Amino acid sequence: MDTTDIKPGFVRLFCHDSARFPAFISSAIVKTNNGFLLSSLKYRDLVVDLIQKVFPTSVAHGPCSTFKLPLKMEFDLLACFSCKTWPVVANEWVVRYRKNNWPPRDLISDIIRDGCLVVPIGNPHSKESHIQWRISFSMAEKKLIHSMNHTQFLCYGLMKLYLKHVINSNAEVKDLICSYFLKTCLFYCIEEEHISWDKESFLDCFWTCFRRLIKLVKNEYCPNFFIKENKMFEGKVCGEKSGILLSYLTELYHEGLYSLSRIPCLSELLLCNMYGTVLTGNTLTDAEREFICDVEISPCLEKGCETKDGIECLRLLTAIADMVQKSTRKIDKAMLTIRYHLTVYYFVQLVYQQICTNESNKNNYKYMKQIESLIVHNCMSINKCNGMLLLVTLRYLMRKYKKVVKIVQKVVKKLKCSIIYKGITYTCVYNKQVYMNEKCVKGLTLYQKLNCDIFASTYCCLVDCKLYPSEIEQELLQHSIRDITFINPMLYSYVLMFLSYLHMESKQNMIDTLSELFTTIYDIYDKDRKDKVEAQLALSLFKKCIQLFESWHDNNATNKQKFKR
């Protein structure tokens, strides 16, 4: 093998005694000024001609011969030479410093013993391409892949799917990136990046590899894993093409989960996870995929926010605010901002609890106004309906019943057009279709959608904090789970409205609200979507309202009789 004045990763094969070779190989030997060389082009063509005698449809594909068999099976046949010694040009890989001790020393020794392969294809940008052969480390790569853990292997599989269904779906950048580039990217990440390659961090690992790919494209430099001097992007990912690819990859990175949902098999899994259904074939539209992502992400954002410790809640708020400042990704900023607002939602209830326990405090009204301001500025941006319900609950406790009724009427109007979720979505098909038509495939972020009053989660009461009407305290306590009670927001809205009319002594409005409350319970908890826990809470609250109405009616009748006497 000769590597003089040739791009790293490629060699020439000298034939010192052509008579020693069989006729098949001898016919591929060419005479040059430097001696007899084995032509990679002639050798590959001879192999293709030979295979075509058995498989007439065989064609040259890179260094391989590609042919098809029945049942749409396609094969690549590679006729190459084995080199039992490790190439000098790859010695840096052997002694390279490795932060993560991967690959381990015993595997490196095993790979070196196997040597390498030389395959019949030259540097396409060289005038001597026809007499050059490429050094192949496919045997070494196979051993490296077999040494990966399950998460690393899944990451490689997801990267290949992402290339096929997402990156290559853009005609402007199609085929600029190949799976070998992705494999190289993964190898470098395993070797250098300080991340946990476990199943819990699977997506983090994937995005780490994706960030690495973006960095490589930005620098227009992708070094071969074994021979760093071999710049694999050379002549392919450069100039204007590189700029277009970088812009597209960055856009996909900011999309995050949205871009992953373009992979058909992942979309189906998300849908099955949500609705418990099994679909076959690529049945999802882009709007349906976006809808699935939205309803999958939105409930997850609330997880971890529902702390009952005021100090811990304040620490969480500080940490989230710090992360928002430091985050460079638009999608991270949006998600963190959402979590900040949701955490404030619980923080408000904890602050109210402290005010209530301080009976000697003469400034309670002033503090209540401060809490009101906190709600308006932090809890109304995301999940606006629940922010408004938190606000009207506070105003109810401040005995501003007319304001409560006015705001609750707005909340009910919004909720009738919202998608209400709790863990998994339960909503009518009409709302889903309206959402997909108006909000999906419009270039809107989830943060922007949540600002449009589309989503409303179940209203959450921290029962120890007392930020709820005292009339329904027993019902909330009886149906709480670890001191937290979840109420359907529409149900809670009508309960607040009824209690306000009760204090205003508006009989007809009370009757009308009870009727709406009964209809709401029937609509939400029908036979197909019955949730026993929430159904029991709903019925308990309805019975309580009936009792309060009857008690008010009896007292009112008694007072009228006394007045007549």
Side-chain angles (χ1 to χ4, degrees), residues 490-506:
M490 185 74 84
L491 177 71
Y492 186 57
S493 297
Y494 281 122
V495 170
L496 280 174
M497 189 182 289
F498 169 79
L499 293 174
S500 297
Y501 283 134
L502 181 67
H503 287 286
M504 294 164 64
E505 298 191 355
S506 179

Side-chain angles (χ1 to χ4, degrees), residues 29-47:
I29 296 175
V30 295
K31 185 177 181 180
T32 68
N33 294 333
N34 297 320
F36 291 97
L37 295 172
L38 187 61
S39 169
S40 57
L41 180 62
K42 285 191 173 185
Y43 179 80
R44 187 190 62 185
D45 290 343
L46 286 169
V47 172

Side-chain angles (χ1 to χ4, degrees), residues 248-309:
Y248 184 56
L249 293 179
T250 304
E251 180 185 330
L252 292 175
Y253 181 68
H254 287 156
E255 285 183 12
L257 192 59
Y258 285 119
S259 63
L260 280 173
S261 70
R262 298 187 197 178
I263 303 173
C265 57
L266 292 187
S267 295
E268 307 303 330
L269 286 172
L270 281 171
L271 191 65
C272 292
N273 181 48
M274 286 173 55
Y275 298 108
T277 58
V278 178
L279 300 178
T280 56
N282 186 13
T283 58
L284 295 177
T285 64
D286 289 340
E288 286 173 324
R289 290 193 183 98
E290 192 169 321
F291 171 80
I292 290 168
C293 284
D294 289 348
V295 296
E296 278 284 309
I297 293 171
S298 303
C300 297
L301 292 170
E302 292 203 43
K303 292 179 180 178
C305 296
E306 60 271 35
T307 176
K308 293 177 284 181
D309 184 327

Side-chain angles (χ1 to χ4, degrees), residues 331-343:
I331 190 168
D332 285 343
K333 280 185 179 292
M335 297 307 180
L336 289 167
T337 304
I338 294 168
R339 282 189 66 84
Y340 180 84
H341 290 302
L342 293 172
T343 306

Side-chain angles (χ1 to χ4, degrees), residues 195-468:
I195 52 175
S196 299
W197 293 94
D198 50 53
K199 61 181 181 180
E200 290 78 13
S201 307
F202 172 56
L203 280 180
D204 288 336
C205 296
F206 171 78
W207 291 120
T208 298
C209 294
F210 198 77
R211 283 195 298 271
R212 183 98 185 199
L213 178 62
I214 291 174
K215 183 179 178 181
L216 295 177
V217 173
K218 184 178 181 180
N219 296 331
E220 297 185 5
Y221 173 63
C222 181
N224 183 277
F225 185 62
F226 298 93
I227 304 173
K228 284 191 173 182
E229 292 79 9
N230 183 358
K231 303 170 184 177
M232 298 190 295
F233 279 176
E234 190 174 58
K236 188 172 185 180
V237 182
C238 55
E240 186 180 353
K241 290 181 179 179
S242 174
I244 296 171
L245 179 60
L246 177 62
S247 178
Y248 184 56
L249 293 179
T250 304
E251 180 185 330
L252 292 175
Y253 181 68
H254 287 156
E255 285 183 12
L257 192 59
Y258 285 119
S259 63
L260 280 173
S261 70
R262 298 187 197 178
I263 303 173
C265 57
L266 292 187
S267 295
E268 307 303 330
L269 286 172
L270 281 171
L271 191 65
C272 292
N273 181 48
M274 286 173 55
Y275 298 108
T277 58
V278 178
L279 300 178
T280 56
N282 186 13
T283 58
L284 295 177
T285 64
D286 289 340
E288 286 173 324
R289 290 193 183 98
E290 192 169 321
F291 171 80
I292 290 168
C293 284
D294 289 348
V295 296
E296 278 284 309
I297 293 171
S298 303
C300 297
L301 292 170
E302 292 203 43
K303 292 179 180 178
C305 296
E306 60 271 35
T307 176
K308 293 177 284 181
D309 184 327
I311 301 298
E312 178 61 29
C313 197
L314 193 58
R315 188 182 296 117
L316 183 59
L317 283 170
T318 305
I320 293 173
D322 184 54
M323 285 189 284
V324 170
Q325 292 295 322
K326 293 179 179 179
S327 178
T328 56
R329 290 176 61 199
K330 290 180 181 178
I331 190 168
D332 285 343
K333 280 185 179 292
M335 297 307 180
L336 289 167
T337 304
I338 294 168
R339 282 189 66 84
Y340 180 84
H341 290 302
L342 293 172
T343 306
V344 172
Y345 174 84
Y346 293 97
F347 183 65
V348 164
Q349 298 190 56
L350 293 166
V351 171
Y352 180 80
Q353 180 187 27
Q354 294 300 313
I355 293 173
C356 291
T357 54
N358 190 359
E359 296 177 2
S360 62
N361 196 333
K362 296 179 182 180
N363 297 316
N364 274 6
Y365 187 80
K366 183 180 76 173
Y367 291 137
M368 295 278 270
K369 293 295 290 183
Q370 290 176 348
I371 292 176
E372 189 176 40
S373 177
L374 191 64
I375 295 171
V376 170
H377 290 99
N378 291 280
C379 301
M380 307 289 275
S381 299
I382 302 300
N383 202 340
K384 195 168 186 177
C385 289
N386 277 8
M388 292 173 75
L389 285 176
L390 189 62
L391 179 64
V392 295
T393 302
L394 184 68
R395 288 182 175 171
Y396 176 85
L397 297 173
M398 296 170 73
R399 301 179 183 180
K400 298 179 179 180
Y401 304 121
K402 288 184 179 180
K403 287 187 176 181
V404 170
V405 171
K406 190 176 180 180
I407 297 174
V408 167
Q409 287 173 342
K410 292 180 180 179
V411 173
V412 168
K413 189 177 180 180
K414 289 179 183 294
L415 287 172
K416 286 180 178 179
C417 301
S418 297
I419 292 170
I420 302 172
Y421 63 77
K422 180 191 177 226
I424 60 172
T425 301
Y426 51 94
T427 180
C428 63
V429 176
Y430 171 77
N431 283 351
K432 174 186 172 183
Q433 196 60 48
V434 170
Y435 177 81
M436 288 194 298
N437 291 342
E438 295 182 0
K439 303 300 176 185
C440 292
V441 202
K442 305 289 184 183
L444 297 174
T445 65
L446 181 60
Y447 183 81
Q448 290 170 324
K449 291 171 187 173
L450 290 176
N451 263 320
C452 295
D453 311 327
I454 296 299
F455 289 95
S457 68
T458 46
Y459 185 79
C460 174
C461 282
L462 302 180
V463 292
D464 290 340
C465 296
K466 308 292 184 182
L467 188 52
Y468 49 80

Side-chain angles (χ1 to χ4, degrees), residues 190 324 486:
I190 299 173
V324 170
F486 297 96

Side-chain angles (χ1 to χ4, degrees), residues 468-497:
Y468 49 80
S470 58
E471 294 89 340
I472 58 173
E473 181 174 13
Q474 288 303 314
E475 285 70 27
L476 296 180
L477 286 170
Q478 287 172 7
H479 297 90
S480 65
I481 301 172
R482 293 189 292 276
D483 300 326
I484 300 176
T485 304
F486 297 96
I487 317 173
N488 181 283
M490 185 74 84
L491 177 71
Y492 186 57
S493 297
Y494 281 122
V495 170
L496 280 174
M497 189 182 289

